[in-house]
Amino acid sequence: DNPYSWLNNSTMHRRTEWLRFRSWAMGNFDQAANSKARKISDDSDRRLFTLRRAPRVARKIIIIKHNDPGGTSLKLNRVDDMEQRAWRRLGYILSRNTHVEELELRRCNLDMEGLCEGLQHNQFIQNIYFHFIDLQDNEKLSSLAPFLSHNHSLKNITLRS
C-alpha cells in the first residue's frame, strides 16, 4: 500500500524537519542576500544625497527612505550635482515609499532612466511636476512610460518649460 512503509516514523519526521529547515534556510538566505544588496546605511545615503545647492535634501530623502508619514512630498530645485547612482537610489527609495504623494523636479539635471527604474514600482505618487526639465529626448520619455502605466493613483502630471 504505502511505498514508504520501509521508513519508520522517526526517519520520516527527521526528513520532514530537514526539508522544512532547508526551505526556511534558503528563503532566509535569499531574503538576506536581497536586503543586503539594497540595504544601505543612513550615513551612506546622507553622503550620497548631500548636495552643494540643496543641503536639506539628504535629510528629507532619509525621512522618505524610512517611509515616515511626515514625508508626503519631495521637491528638488536646481539639483545639478547629483550623481547617476544617486538618482537610481532615489528611484529605489521612492519605489518602497507609500506616503509620498507629490514629486516636484525643478531645473534638475536628472538621470530620468535611473530615477524611473525604481519609480515605476511606486503606486502612491498622485502629483508629479517637471519644471524646466528637458524631456524632449525620446529615451527620457520612454523611461517615464512604465511609471505612468503602473501608477493608478496618479492624478496630475505637469510639464513646464
Side-chain angles (χ1 to χ4, degrees), residues 23-36:
S23 172
W24 172 83
M26 291 308 291
N28 282 349
F29 176 77
D30 290 344
Q31 185 179 6
N34 240 350
S35 68
K36 190 173 184 180

Side-chain angles (χ1 to χ4, degrees), residues 35-63:
S35 68
K36 190 173 184 180
R38 291 296 190 178
K39 190 170 187 174
I40 297 176
S41 73
D42 287 352
D43 288 337
S44 295
D45 277 336
R46 205 170 280 111
R47 283 191 300 274
L48 183 64
F49 293 115
T50 297
L51 306 171
R52 187 173 26 90
R53 283 186 155 175
R56 295 184 191 149
V57 167
R59 185 175 39 215
K60 184 70 172 182
I61 292 174
I62 298 298
I63 289 170

Side-chain angles (χ1 to χ4, degrees), residues 57-76:
V57 167
R59 185 175 39 215
K60 184 70 172 182
I61 292 174
I62 298 298
I63 289 170
I64 290 169
K65 173 186 174 181
H66 291 288
N67 209 11
D68 187 315
T72 59
S73 72
L74 178 61
K75 297 178 182 184
L76 300 177

Side-chain angles (χ1 to χ4, degrees), residues 19 23 33 38 42-43 50 55 65 70 83 95 100 102 110 114 116-119 124 131 134-136 150:
L19 290 173
S23 172
R38 291 296 190 178
D42 287 352
D43 288 337
T50 297
K65 173 186 174 181
E83 300 173 18
S95 76
V100 173
E102 183 177 84
L110 74 134
C116 289
E117 189 176 293
L119 195 59
F124 300 95
H131 296 279
D134 180 24
L135 293 175
Q136 295 178 8
H150 291 111

